[in-house]
Amino acid sequence: MAKAELMDYDKALELFEPVLGFEVHVELNTKTKMFCGCANEFGSGANTNTCPTCLGLPGGLPQVNRQAIESSIRLGLALGCEIAETSRFARKNYFYPDTAKNFQTSQYDEPIAFNGQLTIELESGRQVTVDIERAHMEDDAGKLTHMGGAAGRIQGADYSLVDYNRGGVPLVEIVTQMIEGAEADAPEIGKTYVAAIREIVKALGVSNARMEEGNVRCDANVSLRPRGSNILGTRTETKNVNSLRSVERAVRYEIQRQAALLTAGGTITQETRHWHEDTGVTSAGRPKSDADDYRYFPEPDLVPVAPSRAWVEELRATLPEPPAARRKRLQADWGFVNLEFQDVVNSDLLDVLEATIAAGAPAQAARKWWTGEIARLANAAGVSADSLVTPAQVAALIELITDGTLTDRLARQVLEGVIAGEGTPTEVVASRGLAVVSDDGPLIAAIDEALASQPDVLAKIRDGKVQAAGAVIGAVMKAMRGQADAARVRELVLERAGSAPAESAE
Ligand SMILES: [Zn+2]
């Protein structure tokens, strides 16, 4: 549907109530794959991380990855889920070239974790509790690359390449219950929910959580219910949306598309849809009915997973502070207003800021350097801020400003030296000779010279027009190559002008 044919968003909300559901796939960052010893590694040469088991060759037998079970249980606990006393893998049978075994090893009626909930907070302050139906373990499929066609799509491609490196990588699929009452916040709820999941898996350390590498992928289910009706509408499932902004846009688009279609007397097809980042639209995928029969059956090559209650409690004790609670605590500790704090969070600088402050830097100074000069240099270099300098280096730099060794201007030069690998801030100050001149001797010499060369300014200062001193201060700062404390220079200029040094300097 072309964008012009979409229904206006507010109008769509007047006529319909959106009902949502999300399935988020999280790729675990275990060293090896879910059921074999192949490396779980992004970016290796095609088909180099493969073996008979993950290629589905006859005789290849799976063995479950203990670390993947542990990560799944911790993730389940962090989502407030119950952990199953026994849990079983099942074969989900379907043929597709990226699935070498012709089935996906997943979980069906006995997932590892179920009945959880996650409360998220929207920008307006509205709190929404999302009920989690289940979090189950499964293995990922390989990756198809369609060649010769436009935009890498299968339509019009001449041939396709398949890379099984991702085949068998451990996944946890988190499935929500139906989310009602979202109203106009529906797109933001989608974005915020996925962001919260990403934050949790990152805090747990169970996934690299890089959406751009597909570590966290979201399928968004959207349906519309006419106002006043209690019958659910037909839903669509937009697959593999892999950025937070795209989740928001895809949900909004589906609401507007379905509303236009329904109002015009059309019907919604129950189907998967693809999100197109470039054009901002979804397009039809394959029909999907609730009666799809994958012939699930218990995986005969794997024993049930029966985590002891003692182990589960041991794992519960390793859970980090929930990210939302941590954010609240840090903002209060640091005394940042919402805008300052949001800036830090949005720039992904929470961890480095915390480490910089723990290394002794005052909170506001740490924020100013990380979100200011360092972020600017990182943007220019196209890298992340925390790859340029360490929190300890930034704390040391700020300490040199606080104790008067450096002005802000000199500190920026020191920072460049540190980034260039010239050593610690103190070493760069020494090797580049950048410290503020704290000895009054050279300052007085420079001031006397400046006053002598500007007798008109001197006369004005003596007449009580102290603002005229600015010209002299500027000349002195320039002569000192910025390595002087401007406030001290001003003090000395007024003092020297009063003691009439220019006459003797003739
Ligand atoms: Zn393998």
Side-chain angles (χ1 to χ4, degrees):
M1 182 176 288
K3 281 198 167 161
E5 298 162 41
L6 297 177
M7 182 178 283
D8 171 73
Y9 186 70
D10 294 335
K11 178 82 186 154
L13 264 294
E14 251 170 55
L15 298 175
F16 300 98
E17 181 203 341
V19 178
L20 308 173
F22 298 97
E23 286 150 36
V24 175
H25 286 87
V26 176
E27 234 176 48
L28 300 179
N29 58 359
T30 50
K31 285 196 183 69
T32 55
K33 292 187 182 181
M34 187 80 207
F35 301 115
C36 64
C38 292
N40 171 14
E41 219 169 54
F42 183 83
S44 307
N47 294 306
T48 52
N49 300 334
T50 55
C51 74
T53 298
C54 57
L55 287 175
L57 299 181
L61 280 174
Q63 241 188 329
V64 78
N65 182 332
R66 181 187 163 99
Q67 183 61 50
I69 304 281
E70 184 177 312
S71 296
S72 305
I73 293 175
R74 291 179 72 231
L75 178 50
L77 290 171
L79 295 172
C81 290
E82 297 171 46
I83 304 300
E85 302 215 1
T86 68
S87 155
R88 198 188 292 267
F89 287 100
R91 291 190 181 184
K92 180 182 184 183
N93 293 282
Y94 66 97
F95 172 78
Y96 205 70
D98 61 4
T99 305
K101 295 179 295 182
N102 281 346
F103 61 85
Q104 181 184 27
T105 309
S106 182
Q107 297 195 296
Y108 185 49
D109 50 355
E110 297 174 81
I112 185 81
F114 52 93
N115 281 351
Q117 50 179 219
L118 180 60
T119 299
I120 56 174
E121 188 175 315
L122 307 184
E123 270 175 36
S124 62
R126 178 184 171 194
Q127 306 237 336
V128 178
T129 296
V130 177
D131 290 320
I132 312 276
E133 181 187 309
R134 56 194 273 146
H136 65 254
M137 302 181 284
E138 57 188 28
D139 60 357
D140 209 345
K143 186 177 183 341
L144 292 173
T145 309
H146 306 295
M147 308 297 288
R153 286 177 205 146
I154 193 166
Q155 291 83 3
D158 295 327
Y159 61 97
S160 300
L161 299 173
V162 60
D163 177 3
Y164 288 113
N165 281 350
R166 199 178 63 185
V169 162
L171 293 179
V172 175
E173 178 175 342
I174 303 161
V175 183
T176 66
Q177 303 274 14
M178 208 164 58
I179 303 169
E180 296 178 84
E183 297 298 342
D185 291 330
E188 192 191 345
I189 287 173
K191 179 185 81 169
T192 310
Y193 170 72
V194 178
I197 297 278
R198 182 169 166 265
E199 205 174 42
I200 286 171
V201 299
K202 225 170 137 184
L204 288 165
V206 299
S207 170
N208 296 335
R210 292 189 195 105
M211 292 191 81
E212 68 279 11
E213 289 181 10
N215 297 152
V216 177
R217 318 193 287 263
C218 172
D219 300 341
N221 291 286
V222 177
S223 69
L224 295 184
R225 175 160 55 195
R227 294 281 167 197
S229 163
N230 50 17
I231 300 163
L232 286 170
T234 303
R235 71 172 189 275
T236 61
E237 179 180 344
T238 305
K239 303 286 287 182
N240 292 328
V241 188
N242 64 357
S243 81
L244 297 178
R245 185 160 167 268
S246 297
V247 175
E248 186 170 33
R249 290 172 74 203
V251 170
R252 177 180 292 264
Y253 179 88
E254 271 304 285
I255 291 172
Q256 293 180 267
R257 184 187 72 87
Q258 293 182 18
L261 199 57
L262 290 169
T263 310
T267 52
I268 305 298
T269 311
Q270 190 169 339
E271 63 188 358
T272 66
R273 296 186 69 85
H274 302 296
W275 167 248
H276 302 280
E277 183 65 47
D278 45 353
T279 48
V281 305
T282 64
S283 66
R286 63 185 162 82
K288 189 176 186 182
S289 86
D290 289 329
D292 275 350
D293 192 347
Y294 290 107
R295 301 276 158 170
Y296 277 101
F297 66 85
E299 165 61 61
D301 290 335
L302 289 165
V303 293
V305 175
S308 75
R309 296 301 93 181
W311 189 36
V312 171
E313 289 318 306
E314 223 173 89
L315 293 177
R316 194 193 300 278
T318 69
L319 295 186
E321 180 182 17
R326 174 177 174 237
R327 276 190 270 114
K328 278 215 160 59
R329 175 176 60 81
L330 291 178
Q331 182 175 356
D333 282 0
W334 298 343
F336 288 180
V337 298
N338 286 342
L339 218 64
E340 292 170 338
F341 193 74
Q342 266 318 310
D343 193 21
V344 173
V345 172
N346 295 342
S347 315
D348 220 358
L349 290 169
L350 206 56
D351 291 346
V352 288
L353 206 69
E354 188 181 22
T356 308
I357 293 163
Q364 283 295 0
R367 183 189 62 78
K368 199 190 83 183
W369 279 91
W370 278 108
T371 61
E373 186 67 5
I374 301 170
R376 192 183 65 76
L377 292 170
N379 273 343
V383 297
S384 66
D386 59 348
S387 69
L388 286 182
V389 278
T390 66
Q393 288 167 334
V394 176
L397 186 73
I398 292 169
E399 171 66 29
L400 290 172
I401 302 167
T402 313
D403 73 12
T405 306
L406 296 176
T407 58
D408 274 16
R409 180 165 164 272
L410 291 172
R412 283 196 289 275
Q413 294 178 44
V414 173
L415 179 65
E416 280 171 27
V418 172
I419 291 170
E422 292 169 24
T424 65
T426 310
E427 286 163 359
V428 175
V429 167
S431 63
R432 291 199 181 188
L434 283 175
V436 166
V437 174
S438 53
D439 180 0
D440 284 350
L443 290 183
I444 289 170
I447 288 166
D448 287 352
E449 199 181 319
L451 286 172
S453 64
Q454 302 184 66
D456 49 328
V457 175
L458 178 59
K460 280 185 192 163
I461 298 174
R462 285 184 174 162
D463 276 357
K465 292 174 186 150
V466 290
Q467 68 271 29
V472 175
I473 295 169
V476 171
M477 291 302 286
K478 199 173 166 194
M480 300 302 297
R481 301 197 340 258
Q483 287 173 250
D485 174 11
R488 179 65 186 147
V489 171
R490 185 185 154 80
E491 249 172 54
L492 289 172
V493 166
L494 297 178
E495 200 180 302
R496 300 301 289 176
S499 69
E503 282 152 14
S504 56
E506 201 57 52

